Amino acid sequence: MSVLSVLVVDDHAMFRTGVRAELERLGSGRVEVVGEAEDVDSAVEAIAALRPDVVLLDVHLPGGGGTEILRRVGTSSTFLALSVSDAAEDVIGVIRSGARGYVTKNISAEELLDAIDRVAGGDAVFSPRLAGFVLDAFAGTIEIAQVDEDLDRLTDREREVMRLIARGYAYKEVAKELFISVKTVETHVSSVLRKLQLSSRHELTRWASDRRLI
């Protein structure tokens, strides 16, 4: 069996290092991590230069995110999304753009190796809960076009704040989670409510829940 070349794309250096270490420890003879990238531009350059068999792709990245990488490079490699986000619009958006699978970052190293093998072999791979989003999208039970239109009004940071607030986080907890000030959280929440034409955190939670964003 040939060794699969893998590129790790994530904006957190510590996470990239951890993934590389685990794949090299458990995947010797199965995979080889040939490079890393931290944003859209460096990922596009690395994919063109290295031609990896599989790209492990974070969804939210500086410069436009995982969907922008897929838009720019097409399907020259096989893409497996590996993200902390389990929001429906992230899953469906990156799959519609050409990724072969989507797994969350709580996956074990062995499960990740198996997912890499499977997408390289042509299978579609999803964490169990996320497969339902894709099925619902094809069945038409999630109004993805409307979700996309609404979320396009928000910046990446506003989306992160929106999800945490909708999940019941206090402003201080959001600030700690995202390494920003409470004042910045308040500013983002005000902007989110204004852009989505909502008047309270309660309405925001209901809005996000209806769209399976939390």
mmCIF file with all atom_site columns, all heavy atoms in Angstrom, residues 7 54-58 78-83 94 98-103 107 111-117 119 124-126:
data_model
loop_
_atom_site.group_PDB
_atom_site.id
_atom_site.type_symbol
_atom_site.label_atom_id
_atom_site.label_alt_id
_atom_site.label_comp_id
_atom_site.label_asym_id
_atom_site.label_entity_id
_atom_site.label_seq_id
_atom_site.pdbx_PDB_ins_code
_atom_site.Cartn_x
_atom_site.Cartn_y
_atom_site.Cartn_z
_atom_site.occupancy
_atom_site.B_iso_or_equiv
_atom_site.pdbx_formal_charge
_atom_site.auth_seq_id
_atom_site.auth_comp_id
_atom_site.auth_asym_id
_atom_site.auth_atom_id
_atom_site.pdbx_PDB_model_num
ATOM 1   N N   . LEU A 1 7   ? -1.308  17.218 3.831  1.00 0.00 ? 7   LEU A N   1
ATOM 2   C CA  . LEU A 1 7   ? -1.041  18.617 4.178  1.00 0.00 ? 7   LEU A CA  1
ATOM 3   C C   . LEU A 1 7   ? -2.007  19.026 5.279  1.00 0.00 ? 7   LEU A C   1
ATOM 4   O O   . LEU A 1 7   ? -3.216  18.792 5.160  1.00 0.00 ? 7   LEU A O   1
ATOM 5   C CB  . LEU A 1 7   ? -1.224  19.525 2.951  1.00 0.00 ? 7   LEU A CB  1
ATOM 6   C CG  . LEU A 1 7   ? -1.084  21.032 3.191  1.00 0.00 ? 7   LEU A CG  1
ATOM 7   C CD1 . LEU A 1 7   ? 0.360   21.400 3.484  1.00 0.00 ? 7   LEU A CD1 1
ATOM 8   C CD2 . LEU A 1 7   ? -1.589  21.814 1.970  1.00 0.00 ? 7   LEU A CD2 1
ATOM 9   N N   . VAL A 1 54  ? -4.069  14.101 0.381  1.00 0.00 ? 54  VAL A N   1
ATOM 10  C CA  . VAL A 1 54  ? -5.169  14.534 1.241  1.00 0.00 ? 54  VAL A CA  1
ATOM 11  C C   . VAL A 1 54  ? -4.790  15.829 1.939  1.00 0.00 ? 54  VAL A C   1
ATOM 12  O O   . VAL A 1 54  ? -3.677  15.959 2.456  1.00 0.00 ? 54  VAL A O   1
ATOM 13  C CB  . VAL A 1 54  ? -5.516  13.453 2.293  1.00 0.00 ? 54  VAL A CB  1
ATOM 14  C CG1 . VAL A 1 54  ? -6.618  13.957 3.235  1.00 0.00 ? 54  VAL A CG1 1
ATOM 15  C CG2 . VAL A 1 54  ? -5.948  12.153 1.619  1.00 0.00 ? 54  VAL A CG2 1
ATOM 16  N N   . VAL A 1 55  ? -5.728  16.776 1.944  1.00 0.00 ? 55  VAL A N   1
ATOM 17  C CA  . VAL A 1 55  ? -5.560  18.024 2.686  1.00 0.00 ? 55  VAL A CA  1
ATOM 18  C C   . VAL A 1 55  ? -6.511  18.003 3.878  1.00 0.00 ? 55  VAL A C   1
ATOM 19  O O   . VAL A 1 55  ? -7.723  17.866 3.713  1.00 0.00 ? 55  VAL A O   1
ATOM 20  C CB  . VAL A 1 55  ? -5.869  19.251 1.804  1.00 0.00 ? 55  VAL A CB  1
ATOM 21  C CG1 . VAL A 1 55  ? -5.742  20.543 2.616  1.00 0.00 ? 55  VAL A CG1 1
ATOM 22  C CG2 . VAL A 1 55  ? -4.958  19.284 0.587  1.00 0.00 ? 55  VAL A CG2 1
ATOM 23  N N   . LEU A 1 56  ? -5.954  18.095 5.098  1.00 0.00 ? 56  LEU A N   1
ATOM 24  C CA  . LEU A 1 56  ? -6.763  18.265 6.302  1.00 0.00 ? 56  LEU A CA  1
ATOM 25  C C   . LEU A 1 56  ? -7.032  19.753 6.446  1.00 0.00 ? 56  LEU A C   1
ATOM 26  O O   . LEU A 1 56  ? -6.102  20.539 6.636  1.00 0.00 ? 56  LEU A O   1
ATOM 27  C CB  . LEU A 1 56  ? -6.030  17.726 7.532  1.00 0.00 ? 56  LEU A CB  1
ATOM 28  C CG  . LEU A 1 56  ? -5.747  16.227 7.553  1.00 0.00 ? 56  LEU A CG  1
ATOM 29  C CD1 . LEU A 1 56  ? -5.038  15.845 8.840  1.00 0.00 ? 56  LEU A CD1 1
ATOM 30  C CD2 . LEU A 1 56  ? -7.030  15.424 7.396  1.00 0.00 ? 56  LEU A CD2 1
ATOM 31  N N   . LEU A 1 57  ? -8.294  20.125 6.367  1.00 0.00 ? 57  LEU A N   1
ATOM 32  C CA  . LEU A 1 57  ? -8.653  21.526 6.159  1.00 0.00 ? 57  LEU A CA  1
ATOM 33  C C   . LEU A 1 57  ? -9.535  22.062 7.275  1.00 0.00 ? 57  LEU A C   1
ATOM 34  O O   . LEU A 1 57  ? -10.638 21.556 7.499  1.00 0.00 ? 57  LEU A O   1
ATOM 35  C CB  . LEU A 1 57  ? -9.396  21.634 4.816  1.00 0.00 ? 57  LEU A CB  1
ATOM 36  C CG  . LEU A 1 57  ? -9.867  23.005 4.362  1.00 0.00 ? 57  LEU A CG  1
ATOM 37  C CD1 . LEU A 1 57  ? -8.669  23.895 4.046  1.00 0.00 ? 57  LEU A CD1 1
ATOM 38  C CD2 . LEU A 1 57  ? -10.750 22.866 3.117  1.00 0.00 ? 57  LEU A CD2 1
ATOM 39  N N   . ASP A 1 58  ? -9.048  23.106 7.963  1.00 0.00 ? 58  ASP A N   1
ATOM 40  C CA  . ASP A 1 58  ? -9.910  23.795 8.916  1.00 0.00 ? 58  ASP A CA  1
ATOM 41  C C   . ASP A 1 58  ? -10.895 24.657 8.141  1.00 0.00 ? 58  ASP A C   1
ATOM 42  O O   . ASP A 1 58  ? -10.609 25.113 7.028  1.00 0.00 ? 58  ASP A O   1
ATOM 43  C CB  . ASP A 1 58  ? -9.075  24.657 9.860  1.00 0.00 ? 58  ASP A CB  1
ATOM 44  C CG  . ASP A 1 58  ? -9.853  25.121 11.076 1.00 0.00 ? 58  ASP A CG  1
ATOM 45  O OD1 . ASP A 1 58  ? -10.998 24.658 11.261 1.00 0.00 ? 58  ASP A OD1 1
ATOM 46  O OD2 . ASP A 1 58  ? -9.329  25.951 11.843 1.00 0.00 ? 58  ASP A OD2 1
ATOM 47  N N   . THR A 1 78  ? -7.593  15.610 -2.475 1.00 0.00 ? 78  THR A N   1
ATOM 48  C CA  . THR A 1 78  ? -8.789  15.225 -1.735 1.00 0.00 ? 78  THR A CA  1
ATOM 49  C C   . THR A 1 78  ? -8.812  15.983 -0.416 1.00 0.00 ? 78  THR A C   1
ATOM 50  O O   . THR A 1 78  ? -7.803  16.031 0.295  1.00 0.00 ? 78  THR A O   1
ATOM 51  C CB  . THR A 1 78  ? -8.795  13.712 -1.470 1.00 0.00 ? 78  THR A CB  1
ATOM 52  O OG1 . THR A 1 78  ? -8.809  13.020 -2.722 1.00 0.00 ? 78  THR A OG1 1
ATOM 53  C CG2 . THR A 1 78  ? -10.021 13.304 -0.663 1.00 0.00 ? 78  THR A CG2 1
ATOM 54  N N   . PHE A 1 79  ? -9.948  16.578 -0.084 1.00 0.00 ? 79  PHE A N   1
ATOM 55  C CA  . PHE A 1 79  ? -10.045 17.428 1.098  1.00 0.00 ? 79  PHE A CA  1
ATOM 56  C C   . PHE A 1 79  ? -10.909 16.771 2.170  1.00 0.00 ? 79  PHE A C   1
ATOM 57  O O   . PHE A 1 79  ? -12.021 16.318 1.894  1.00 0.00 ? 79  PHE A O   1
ATOM 58  C CB  . PHE A 1 79  ? -10.633 18.790 0.738  1.00 0.00 ? 79  PHE A CB  1
ATOM 59  C CG  . PHE A 1 79  ? -9.718  19.631 -0.104 1.00 0.00 ? 79  PHE A CG  1
ATOM 60  C CD1 . PHE A 1 79  ? -9.670  19.465 -1.484 1.00 0.00 ? 79  PHE A CD1 1
ATOM 61  C CD2 . PHE A 1 79  ? -8.892  20.577 0.477  1.00 0.00 ? 79  PHE A CD2 1
ATOM 62  C CE1 . PHE A 1 79  ? -8.817  20.232 -2.264 1.00 0.00 ? 79  PHE A CE1 1
ATOM 63  C CE2 . PHE A 1 79  ? -8.039  21.353 -0.294 1.00 0.00 ? 79  PHE A CE2 1
ATOM 64  C CZ  . PHE A 1 79  ? -7.998  21.170 -1.674 1.00 0.00 ? 79  PHE A CZ  1
ATOM 65  N N   . LEU A 1 80  ? -10.368 16.768 3.397  1.00 0.00 ? 80  LEU A N   1
ATOM 66  C CA  . LEU A 1 80  ? -11.100 16.314 4.564  1.00 0.00 ? 80  LEU A CA  1
ATOM 67  C C   . LEU A 1 80  ? -11.134 17.460 5.566  1.00 0.00 ? 80  LEU A C   1
ATOM 68  O O   . LEU A 1 80  ? -10.093 17.870 6.075  1.00 0.00 ? 80  LEU A O   1
ATOM 69  C CB  . LEU A 1 80  ? -10.422 15.089 5.188  1.00 0.00 ? 80  LEU A CB  1
ATOM 70  C CG  . LEU A 1 80  ? -11.000 14.591 6.523  1.00 0.00 ? 80  LEU A CG  1
ATOM 71  C CD1 . LEU A 1 80  ? -12.443 14.123 6.355  1.00 0.00 ? 80  LEU A CD1 1
ATOM 72  C CD2 . LEU A 1 80  ? -10.125 13.468 7.097  1.00 0.00 ? 80  LEU A CD2 1
ATOM 73  N N   . ALA A 1 81  ? -12.322 18.011 5.812  1.00 0.00 ? 81  ALA A N   1
ATOM 74  C CA  . ALA A 1 81  ? -12.450 19.097 6.775  1.00 0.00 ? 81  ALA A CA  1
ATOM 75  C C   . ALA A 1 81  ? -12.236 18.560 8.185  1.00 0.00 ? 81  ALA A C   1
ATOM 76  O O   . ALA A 1 81  ? -12.802 17.531 8.556  1.00 0.00 ? 81  ALA A O   1
ATOM 77  C CB  . ALA A 1 81  ? -13.820 19.758 6.652  1.00 0.00 ? 81  ALA A CB  1
ATOM 78  N N   . LEU A 1 82  ? -11.413 19.268 8.955  1.00 0.00 ? 82  LEU A N   1
ATOM 79  C CA  . LEU A 1 82  ? -11.126 18.902 10.342 1.00 0.00 ? 82  LEU A CA  1
ATOM 80  C C   . LEU A 1 82  ? -11.272 20.178 11.154 1.00 0.00 ? 82  LEU A C   1
ATOM 81  O O   . LEU A 1 82  ? -10.404 21.042 11.128 1.00 0.00 ? 82  LEU A O   1
ATOM 82  C CB  . LEU A 1 82  ? -9.712  18.331 10.463 1.00 0.00 ? 82  LEU A CB  1
ATOM 83  C CG  . LEU A 1 82  ? -9.199  17.994 11.864 1.00 0.00 ? 82  LEU A CG  1
ATOM 84  C CD1 . LEU A 1 82  ? -10.065 16.921 12.515 1.00 0.00 ? 82  LEU A CD1 1
ATOM 85  C CD2 . LEU A 1 82  ? -7.737  17.548 11.810 1.00 0.00 ? 82  LEU A CD2 1
ATOM 86  N N   . SER A 1 83  ? -12.389 20.302 11.856 1.00 0.00 ? 83  SER A N   1
ATOM 87  C CA  . SER A 1 83  ? -12.726 21.589 12.456 1.00 0.00 ? 83  SER A CA  1
ATOM 88  C C   . SER A 1 83  ? -13.356 21.418 13.828 1.00 0.00 ? 83  SER A C   1
ATOM 89  O O   . SER A 1 83  ? -13.963 20.381 14.130 1.00 0.00 ? 83  SER A O   1
ATOM 90  C CB  . SER A 1 83  ? -13.687 22.355 11.541 1.00 0.00 ? 83  SER A CB  1
ATOM 91  O OG  . SER A 1 83  ? -14.063 23.597 12.110 1.00 0.00 ? 83  SER A OG  1
ATOM 92  N N   . VAL A 1 94  ? -18.745 23.529 3.166  1.00 0.00 ? 94  VAL A N   1
ATOM 93  C CA  . VAL A 1 94  ? -17.474 22.983 2.709  1.00 0.00 ? 94  VAL A CA  1
ATOM 94  C C   . VAL A 1 94  ? -17.679 21.721 1.866  1.00 0.00 ? 94  VAL A C   1
ATOM 95  O O   . VAL A 1 94  ? -16.921 21.458 0.922  1.00 0.00 ? 94  VAL A O   1
ATOM 96  C CB  . VAL A 1 94  ? -16.532 22.721 3.909  1.00 0.00 ? 94  VAL A CB  1
ATOM 97  C CG1 . VAL A 1 94  ? -16.908 21.469 4.672  1.00 0.00 ? 94  VAL A CG1 1
ATOM 98  C CG2 . VAL A 1 94  ? -15.083 22.660 3.472  1.00 0.00 ? 94  VAL A CG2 1
ATOM 99  N N   . GLY A 1 98  ? -16.653 20.984 -2.287 1.00 0.00 ? 98  GLY A N   1
ATOM 100 C CA  . GLY A 1 98  ? -15.842 19.910 -2.854 1.00 0.00 ? 98  GLY A CA  1
ATOM 101 C C   . GLY A 1 98  ? -15.121 19.009 -1.880 1.00 0.00 ? 98  GLY A C   1
ATOM 102 O O   . GLY A 1 98  ? -14.433 18.074 -2.300 1.00 0.00 ? 98  GLY A O   1
ATOM 103 N N   . ALA A 1 99  ? -15.234 19.264 -0.562 1.00 0.00 ? 99  ALA A N   1
ATOM 104 C CA  . ALA A 1 99  ? -14.581 18.368 0.395  1.00 0.00 ? 99  ALA A CA  1
ATOM 105 C C   . ALA A 1 99  ? -15.259 17.002 0.393  1.00 0.00 ? 99  ALA A C   1
ATOM 106 O O   . ALA A 1 99  ? -16.459 16.899 0.162  1.00 0.00 ? 99  ALA A O   1
ATOM 107 C CB  . ALA A 1 99  ? -14.633 18.971 1.795  1.00 0.00 ? 99  ALA A CB  1
ATOM 108 N N   . ARG A 1 100 ? -14.474 15.962 0.678  1.00 0.00 ? 100 ARG A N   1
ATOM 109 C CA  . ARG A 1 100 ? -15.006 14.590 0.669  1.00 0.00 ? 100 ARG A CA  1
ATOM 110 C C   . ARG A 1 100 ? -15.514 14.145 2.036  1.00 0.00 ? 100 ARG A C   1
ATOM 111 O O   . ARG A 1 100 ? -16.163 13.105 2.147  1.00 0.00 ? 100 ARG A O   1
ATOM 112 C CB  . ARG A 1 100 ? -13.918 13.605 0.216  1.00 0.00 ? 100 ARG A CB  1
ATOM 113 C CG  . ARG A 1 100 ? -13.575 13.697 -1.249 1.00 0.00 ? 100 ARG A CG  1
ATOM 114 C CD  . ARG A 1 100 ? -14.729 13.278 -2.127 1.00 0.00 ? 100 ARG A CD  1
ATOM 115 N NE  . ARG A 1 100 ? -15.193 11.920 -1.843 1.00 0.00 ? 100 ARG A NE  1
ATOM 116 C CZ  . ARG A 1 100 ? -16.293 11.385 -2.359 1.00 0.00 ? 100 ARG A CZ  1
ATOM 117 N NH1 . ARG A 1 100 ? -17.070 12.119 -3.147 1.00 0.00 ? 100 ARG A NH1 1
ATOM 118 N NH2 . ARG A 1 100 ? -16.642 10.145 -2.081 1.00 0.00 ? 100 ARG A NH2 1
ATOM 119 N N   . GLY A 1 101 ? -15.213 14.936 3.064  1.00 0.00 ? 101 GLY A N   1
ATOM 120 C CA  . GLY A 1 101 ? -15.657 14.549 4.386  1.00 0.00 ? 101 GLY A CA  1
ATOM 121 C C   . GLY A 1 101 ? -15.486 15.672 5.375  1.00 0.00 ? 101 GLY A C   1
ATOM 122 O O   . GLY A 1 101 ? -14.879 16.703 5.071  1.00 0.00 ? 101 GLY A O   1
ATOM 123 N N   . TYR A 1 102 ? -16.022 15.472 6.579  1.00 0.00 ? 102 TYR A N   1
ATOM 124 C CA  . TYR A 1 102 ? -15.971 16.502 7.616  1.00 0.00 ? 102 TYR A CA  1
ATOM 125 C C   . TYR A 1 102 ? -15.990 15.793 8.964  1.00 0.00 ? 102 TYR A C   1
ATOM 126 O O   . TYR A 1 102 ? -16.940 15.077 9.284  1.00 0.00 ? 102 TYR A O   1
ATOM 127 C CB  . TYR A 1 102 ? -17.187 17.419 7.484  1.00 0.00 ? 102 TYR A CB  1
ATOM 128 C CG  . TYR A 1 102 ? -17.122 18.718 8.253  1.00 0.00 ? 102 TYR A CG  1
ATOM 129 C CD1 . TYR A 1 102 ? -17.170 19.936 7.582  1.00 0.00 ? 102 TYR A CD1 1
ATOM 130 C CD2 . TYR A 1 102 ? -17.065 18.748 9.646  1.00 0.00 ? 102 TYR A CD2 1
ATOM 131 C CE1 . TYR A 1 102 ? -17.143 21.142 8.265  1.00 0.00 ? 102 TYR A CE1 1
ATOM 132 C CE2 . TYR A 1 102 ? -17.031 19.943 10.338 1.00 0.00 ? 102 TYR A CE2 1
ATOM 133 C CZ  . TYR A 1 102 ? -17.075 21.132 9.637  1.00 0.00 ? 102 TYR A CZ  1
ATOM 134 O OH  . TYR A 1 102 ? -17.050 22.328 10.320 1.00 0.00 ? 102 TYR A OH  1
ATOM 135 N N   . VAL A 1 103 ? -14.919 15.993 9.722  1.00 0.00 ? 103 VAL A N   1
ATOM 136 C CA  . VAL A 1 103 ? -14.844 15.421 11.069 1.00 0.00 ? 103 VAL A CA  1
ATOM 137 C C   . VAL A 1 103 ? -14.475 16.530 12.051 1.00 0.00 ? 103 VAL A C   1
ATOM 138 O O   . VAL A 1 103 ? -13.838 17.512 11.678 1.00 0.00 ? 103 VAL A O   1
ATOM 139 C CB  . VAL A 1 103 ? -13.813 14.273 11.154 1.00 0.00 ? 103 VAL A CB  1
ATOM 140 C CG1 . VAL A 1 103 ? -14.273 13.086 10.315 1.00 0.00 ? 103 VAL A CG1 1
ATOM 141 C CG2 . VAL A 1 103 ? -12.426 14.733 10.701 1.00 0.00 ? 103 VAL A CG2 1
ATOM 142 N N   . ILE A 1 107 ? -12.034 14.042 17.387 1.00 0.00 ? 107 ILE A N   1
ATOM 143 C CA  . ILE A 1 107 ? -11.777 12.720 16.814 1.00 0.00 ? 107 ILE A CA  1
ATOM 144 C C   . ILE A 1 107 ? -10.448 12.182 17.351 1.00 0.00 ? 107 ILE A C   1
ATOM 145 O O   . ILE A 1 107 ? -9.511  12.937 17.624 1.00 0.00 ? 107 ILE A O   1
ATOM 146 C CB  . ILE A 1 107 ? -11.757 12.820 15.266 1.00 0.00 ? 107 ILE A CB  1
ATOM 147 C CG1 . ILE A 1 107 ? -11.783 11.441 14.615 1.00 0.00 ? 107 ILE A CG1 1
ATOM 148 C CG2 . ILE A 1 107 ? -10.525 13.601 14.789 1.00 0.00 ? 107 ILE A CG2 1
ATOM 149 C CD1 . ILE A 1 107 ? -11.945 11.502 13.091 1.00 0.00 ? 107 ILE A CD1 1
ATOM 150 N N   . GLU A 1 111 ? -9.010  7.293  14.544 1.00 0.00 ? 111 GLU A N   1
ATOM 151 C CA  . GLU A 1 111 ? -10.178 7.606  13.715 1.00 0.00 ? 111 GLU A CA  1
ATOM 152 C C   . GLU A 1 111 ? -9.806  8.555  12.586 1.00 0.00 ? 111 GLU A C   1
ATOM 153 O O   . GLU A 1 111 ? -10.312 8.429  11.463 1.00 0.00 ? 111 GLU A O   1
ATOM 154 C CB  . GLU A 1 111 ? -11.276 8.213  14.581 1.00 0.00 ? 111 GLU A CB  1
ATOM 155 C CG  . GLU A 1 111 ? -11.930 7.227  15.530 1.00 0.00 ? 111 GLU A CG  1
ATOM 156 C CD  . GLU A 1 111 ? -12.841 7.904  16.538 1.00 0.00 ? 111 GLU A CD  1
ATOM 157 O OE1 . GLU A 1 111 ? -12.611 9.095  16.861 1.00 0.00 ? 111 GLU A OE1 1
ATOM 158 O OE2 . GLU A 1 111 ? -13.793 7.250  17.015 1.00 0.00 ? 111 GLU A OE2 1
ATOM 159 N N   . LEU A 1 112 ? -8.907  9.497  12.879 1.00 0.00 ? 112 LEU A N   1
ATOM 160 C CA  . LEU A 1 112 ? -8.470  10.430 11.834 1.00 0.00 ? 112 LEU A CA  1
ATOM 161 C C   . LEU A 1 112 ? -7.689  9.698  10.753 1.00 0.00 ? 112 LEU A C   1
ATOM 162 O O   . LEU A 1 112 ? -7.886  9.955  9.550  1.00 0.00 ? 112 LEU A O   1
ATOM 163 C CB  . LEU A 1 112 ? -7.623  11.541 12.449 1.00 0.00 ? 112 LEU A CB  1
ATOM 164 C CG  . LEU A 1 112 ? -7.093  12.605 11.471 1.00 0.00 ? 112 LEU A CG  1
ATOM 165 C CD1 . LEU A 1 112 ? -8.243  13.273 10.725 1.00 0.00 ? 112 LEU A CD1 1
ATOM 166 C CD2 . LEU A 1 112 ? -6.258  13.639 12.214 1.00 0.00 ? 112 LEU A CD2 1
ATOM 167 N N   . LEU A 1 113 ? -6.825  8.800  11.145 1.00 0.00 ? 113 LEU A N   1
ATOM 168 C CA  . LEU A 1 113 ? -6.088  7.999  10.158 1.00 0.00 ? 113 LEU A CA  1
ATOM 169 C C   . LEU A 1 113 ? -7.042  7.208  9.273  1.00 0.00 ? 113 LEU A C   1
ATOM 170 O O   . LEU A 1 113 ? -6.863  7.141  8.048  1.00 0.00 ? 113 LEU A O   1
ATOM 171 C CB  . LEU A 1 113 ? -5.122  7.040  10.870 1.00 0.00 ? 113 LEU A CB  1
ATOM 172 C CG  . LEU A 1 113 ? -3.769  7.600  11.285 1.00 0.00 ? 113 LEU A CG  1
ATOM 173 C CD1 . LEU A 1 113 ? -3.054  6.611  12.201 1.00 0.00 ? 113 LEU A CD1 1
ATOM 174 C CD2 . LEU A 1 113 ? -2.915  7.906  10.060 1.00 0.00 ? 113 LEU A CD2 1
ATOM 175 N N   . ASP A 1 114 ? -8.037  6.610  9.883  1.00 0.00 ? 114 ASP A N   1
ATOM 176 C CA  . ASP A 1 114 ? -9.032  5.850  9.126  1.00 0.00 ? 114 ASP A CA  1
ATOM 177 C C   . ASP A 1 114 ? -9.790  6.767  8.162  1.00 0.00 ? 114 ASP A C   1
ATOM 178 O O   . ASP A 1 114 ? -10.031 6.392  7.005  1.00 0.00 ? 114 ASP A O   1
ATOM 179 C CB  . ASP A 1 114 ? -10.009 5.172  10.079 1.00 0.00 ? 114 ASP A CB  1
ATOM 180 C CG  . ASP A 1 114 ? -11.069 4.366  9.347  1.00 0.00 ? 114 ASP A CG  1
ATOM 181 O OD1 . ASP A 1 114 ? -10.708 3.390  8.664  1.00 0.00 ? 114 ASP A OD1 1
ATOM 182 O OD2 . ASP A 1 114 ? -12.263 4.721  9.452  1.00 0.00 ? 114 ASP A OD2 1
ATOM 183 N N   . ALA A 1 115 ? -10.145 7.974  8.627  1.00 0.00 ? 115 ALA A N   1
ATOM 184 C CA  . ALA A 1 115 ? -10.860 8.918  7.764  1.00 0.00 ? 115 ALA A CA  1
ATOM 185 C C   . ALA A 1 115 ? -10.000 9.342  6.578  1.00 0.00 ? 115 ALA A C   1
ATOM 186 O O   . ALA A 1 115 ? -10.494 9.473  5.453  1.00 0.00 ? 115 ALA A O   1
ATOM 187 C CB  . ALA A 1 115 ? -11.282 10.136 8.578  1.00 0.00 ? 115 ALA A CB  1
ATOM 188 N N   . ILE A 1 116 ? -8.707  9.560  6.824  1.00 0.00 ? 116 ILE A N   1
ATOM 189 C CA  . ILE A 1 116 ? -7.786  9.921  5.735  1.00 0.00 ? 116 ILE A CA  1
ATOM 190 C C   . ILE A 1 116 ? -7.734  8.801  4.699  1.00 0.00 ? 116 ILE A C   1
ATOM 191 O O   . ILE A 1 116 ? -7.814  9.045  3.488  1.00 0.00 ? 116 ILE A O   1
ATOM 192 C CB  . ILE A 1 116 ? -6.385  10.220 6.300  1.00 0.00 ? 116 ILE A CB  1
ATOM 193 C CG1 . ILE A 1 116 ? -6.399  11.513 7.113  1.00 0.00 ? 116 ILE A CG1 1
ATOM 194 C CG2 . ILE A 1 116 ? -5.356  10.319 5.164  1.00 0.00 ? 116 ILE A CG2 1
ATOM 195 C CD1 . ILE A 1 116 ? -5.126  11.753 7.911  1.00 0.00 ? 116 ILE A CD1 1
ATOM 196 N N   . ASP A 1 117 ? -7.580  7.569  5.167  1.00 0.00 ? 117 ASP A N   1
ATOM 197 C CA  . ASP A 1 117 ? -7.553  6.409  4.256  1.00 0.00 ? 117 ASP A CA  1
ATOM 198 C C   . ASP A 1 117 ? -8.836  6.339  3.425  1.00 0.00 ? 117 ASP A C   1
ATOM 199 O O   . ASP A 1 117 ? -8.797  6.094  2.212  1.00 0.00 ? 117 ASP A O   1
ATOM 200 C CB  . ASP A 1 117 ? -7.400  5.111  5.052  1.00 0.00 ? 117 ASP A CB  1
ATOM 201 C CG  . ASP A 1 117 ? -5.978  4.868  5.516  1.00 0.00 ? 117 ASP A CG  1
ATOM 202 O OD1 . ASP A 1 117 ? -5.050  5.409  4.890  1.00 0.00 ? 117 ASP A OD1 1
ATOM 203 O OD2 . ASP A 1 117 ? -5.797  4.131  6.501  1.00 0.00 ? 117 ASP A OD2 1
ATOM 204 N N   . VAL A 1 119 ? -11.226 8.725  2.697  1.00 0.00 ? 119 VAL A N   1
ATOM 205 C CA  . VAL A 1 119 ? -11.467 9.771  1.694  1.00 0.00 ? 119 VAL A CA  1
ATOM 206 C C   . VAL A 1 119 ? -10.492 9.634  0.531  1.00 0.00 ? 119 VAL A C   1
ATOM 207 O O   . VAL A 1 119 ? -10.844 9.903  -0.626 1.00 0.00 ? 119 VAL A O   1
ATOM 208 C CB  . VAL A 1 119 ? -11.406 11.193 2.292  1.00 0.00 ? 119 VAL A CB  1
ATOM 209 C CG1 . VAL A 1 119 ? -12.513 11.416 3.305  1.00 0.00 ? 119 VAL A CG1 1
ATOM 210 C CG2 . VAL A 1 119 ? -10.043 11.514 2.876  1.00 0.00 ? 119 VAL A CG2 1
ATOM 211 N N   . ALA A 1 124 ? -16.937 9.006  1.314  1.00 0.00 ? 124 ALA A N   1
ATOM 212 C CA  . ALA A 1 124 ? -17.308 10.220 2.036  1.00 0.00 ? 124 ALA A CA  1
ATOM 213 C C   . ALA A 1 124 ? -17.336 9.885  3.525  1.00 0.00 ? 124 ALA A C   1
ATOM 214 O O   . ALA A 1 124 ? -17.888 8.862  3.918  1.00 0.00 ? 124 ALA A O   1
ATOM 215 C CB  . ALA A 1 124 ? -18.668 10.732 1.577  1.00 0.00 ? 124 ALA A CB  1
ATOM 216 N N   . VAL A 1 125 ? -16.729 10.739 4.337  1.00 0.00 ? 125 VAL A N   1
ATOM 217 C CA  . VAL A 1 125 ? -16.583 10.442 5.757  1.00 0.00 ? 125 VAL A CA  1
ATOM 218 C C   . VAL A 1 125 ? -17.104 11.614 6.589  1.00 0.00 ? 125 VAL A C   1
ATOM 219 O O   . VAL A 1 125 ? -16.736 12.771 6.344  1.00 0.00 ? 125 VAL A O   1
ATOM 220 C CB  . VAL A 1 125 ? -15.110 10.177 6.117  1.00 0.00 ? 125 VAL A CB  1
ATOM 221 C CG1 . VAL A 1 125 ? -14.969 9.902  7.606  1.00 0.00 ? 125 VAL A CG1 1
ATOM 222 C CG2 . VAL A 1 125 ? -14.560 9.021  5.306  1.00 0.00 ? 125 VAL A CG2 1
ATOM 223 N N   . PHE A 1 126 ? -17.945 11.306 7.582  1.00 0.00 ? 126 PHE A N   1
ATOM 224 C CA  . PHE A 1 126 ? -18.475 12.339 8.464  1.00 0.00 ? 126 PHE A CA  1
ATOM 225 C C   . PHE A 1 126 ? -18.496 11.835 9.899  1.00 0.00 ? 126 PHE A C   1
ATOM 226 O O   . PHE A 1 126 ? -18.729 10.654 10.144 1.00 0.00 ? 126 PHE A O   1
ATOM 227 C CB  . PHE A 1 126 ? -19.913 12.716 8.073  1.00 0.00 ? 126 PHE A CB  1
ATOM 228 C CG  . PHE A 1 126 ? -20.053 13.236 6.685  1.00 0.00 ? 126 PHE A CG  1
ATOM 229 C CD1 . PHE A 1 126 ? -20.394 12.386 5.645  1.00 0.00 ? 126 PHE A CD1 1
ATOM 230 C CD2 . PHE A 1 126 ? -19.841 14.572 6.405  1.00 0.00 ? 126 PHE A CD2 1
ATOM 231 C CE1 . PHE A 1 126 ? -20.519 12.852 4.348  1.00 0.00 ? 126 PHE A CE1 1
ATOM 232 C CE2 . PHE A 1 126 ? -19.961 15.049 5.122  1.00 0.00 ? 126 PHE A CE2 1
ATOM 233 C CZ  . PHE A 1 126 ? -20.296 14.193 4.085  1.00 0.00 ? 126 PHE A CZ  1
#
